[in-house]
């Protein structure tokens, strides 16, 4: 009998990717129907402290430290080796889908996201496996890097998209670069709906903004629905990934979208499989105008995300939801660097 995810994929255009997985979780997700995998800069820390894979990750790290003197580069190398093992799990799908699925995206050092470093890191990571996809923030420096790397044929996951204009910038880059290429690489953007909702909930509370909880609950989904419509109208062949799930609803409310929803195994994918709920297309229900009116009138951060000309690219880097997302990566990356420094002392 088909599981929940298999039924979602057979009845709707929606599929799922798995996020920040151990080797076992990578295989479990693949068996349940996952068609891709994303890892972010917190991945090395998660693996180093994992009950199941911590010793495995530390053994790899010890080998790297034997020759690598720079701690940051040691973490970059560790990340690549760990992700390469996950890429092996997804390689059969990559090959059987004729390179349309089975990608594993990897994002670099969150403290060094200038254009040159992003490009260098993406090229370095791509050496590990053909189904490695460069995961790059849709910030001014990241967008420049995306343009260069796409022209080189590097598959791209443009992440940290919180505002609709960021997505449009990615689509514009694809159209501009692809017209000069015979076989453009696979490109996705990741709209981080869950983190956007998390930021807005904190923002409204801190500012004492009086707004209906029903309207606030629909904020991230309303952004996703507008992005989805823009993509349908433009027909630019860039894939839509929905990310940053902070609850089961960040998957179930997206069912029906022509999109890949990335979720963690523990706490999300496993719970959805356990619940085995009926498949219901919830995404295609339009957001009420009264909800859009409330959100745009009362929350300036929402207005920046929803209206294309309400945010300038120069603001992407310091846009509140983007900063919240990046901060979690920086903390985990720093924790891993501290562990690396401590481990180096014992060798």
């Amino acid at each position: 009998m088909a599981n929940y995810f298999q039924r979602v994929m057979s009845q709707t255009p929606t599929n799922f990717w798995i996020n920040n997985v151990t080797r076992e979780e990578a295989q479990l997700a693949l068996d349940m129907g996952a068609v891709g995998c994303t890892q972010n800069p917190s991945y090395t820390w998660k693996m180093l402290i994992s009950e199941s894979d911590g010793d495995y990750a530390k053994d790899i790290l010890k080998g790297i430290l034997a020759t690598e003197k720079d701690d940051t580069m040691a973490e970059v190398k560790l990340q690549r080796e760990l992700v390469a093992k996950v890429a092996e799990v997804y390689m059969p799908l990559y090959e059987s889908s004729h390179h349309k699925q089975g990608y594993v995206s990897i994002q670099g050092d969150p403290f060094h996201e200038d254009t040159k470093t992003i490009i260098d890191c993406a090229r370095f990571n791509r050496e590990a496996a053909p189904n490695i996809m460069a995961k790059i923030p849709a910030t001014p420096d990241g967008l420049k890097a995306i343009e260069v790397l796409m022209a080189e044929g590097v598959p791209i996951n443009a992440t940290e998209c919180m505002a609709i204009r960021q997505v449009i910038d990615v689509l514009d880059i694809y159209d501009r670069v692809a017209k000069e290429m015979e076989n453009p690489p696979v490109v996705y953007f990741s709209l981080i709906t869950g983190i956007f909702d998390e930021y807005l909930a904190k923002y409204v509370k801190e500012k004492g903004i009086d707004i209906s909880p029903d309207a606030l609950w629909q904020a991230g989904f309303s952004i996703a629905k507008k992005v989805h419509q823009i993509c349908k109208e433009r027909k630019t062949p860039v894939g839509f990934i929905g990310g940053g799930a902070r609850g089961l609803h960040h998957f179930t409310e997206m069912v029906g979208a022509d999109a890949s929803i990335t979720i963690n195994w523990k706490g999300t994918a496993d719970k959805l499989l356990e619940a085995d709920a009926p498949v219901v297309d919830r995404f295609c229900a339009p957001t009420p105008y009264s909800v859009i009116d409330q959100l745009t009138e009362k929350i300036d951060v929402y207005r920046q995300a929803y209206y294309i000309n309400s945010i300038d690219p120069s603001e992407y880097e310091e846009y509140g939801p983007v900063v919240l997302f990046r901060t979690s990566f920086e903390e985990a990356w720093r924790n891993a660097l501290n562990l690396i420094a401590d481990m180096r002392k014992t060798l």
Side-chain angles (χ1 to χ4, degrees), residues 15 17 35-36 90 93-95 97-103 131 186 188:
N15 58 46
W17 287 38
V35 298
Y90 283 82
L93 176 59
Y94 173 77
E95 293 175 339
S97 68
H98 304 288
H99 307 170
K100 299 298 182 183
Q101 297 178 333
Y103 285 96
N131 60 331
V186 171
Y188 286 88

Side-chain angles (χ1 to χ4, degrees), residues 196-209 216 298-304 320-321 324:
F196 183 80
D197 282 344
E198 180 182 343
Y199 181 85
L200 247 58
K202 293 178 180 178
Y203 184 85
V204 165
K205 185 176 181 180
E206 289 173 359
K207 299 290 185 180
I209 297 172
L216 191 62
K298 296 188 174 185
I299 309 175
D300 54 353
V301 173
Y302 177 87
R303 191 162 55 249
Q304 286 180 290
L324 174 63

Side-chain angles (χ1 to χ4, degrees), residues 245-263:
R246 287 300 180 266
L248 301 187
H249 64 293
H250 282 123
F251 186 91
T252 57
E253 293 295 320
M254 293 292 290
V255 170
D258 186 1
S260 303
I261 312 305
T262 180
I263 51 179

Side-chain angles (χ1 to χ4, degrees), residues 112 127 163 206 224 266 287 317 332-333:
H112 299 91
E127 294 172 359
E206 289 173 359
K266 289 183 179 179
T287 307
E317 187 80 32
W333 189 271

Side-chain angles (χ1 to χ4, degrees), residues 30-31 42 60 69 77 141 217 234 271 279 310 326:
L30 184 64
D31 292 343
S42 64
I60 293 175
K69 304 304 181 185
K77 290 181 177 180
D141 277 321
W217 192 87
R234 285 187 55 142
K271 296 300 182 184
V279 173
S310 288
R326 187 172 61 240

Side-chain angles (χ1 to χ4, degrees), residues 8 22 30 52 68 82 89 117 164 184-185 200 206 224 250 284 302 321 341:
V8 166
T22 63
L30 184 64
S52 62
E68 178 54 61
L82 291 170
V89 175
T117 301
I164 291 173
L200 247 58
E206 289 173 359
H250 282 123
C284 293
Y302 177 87

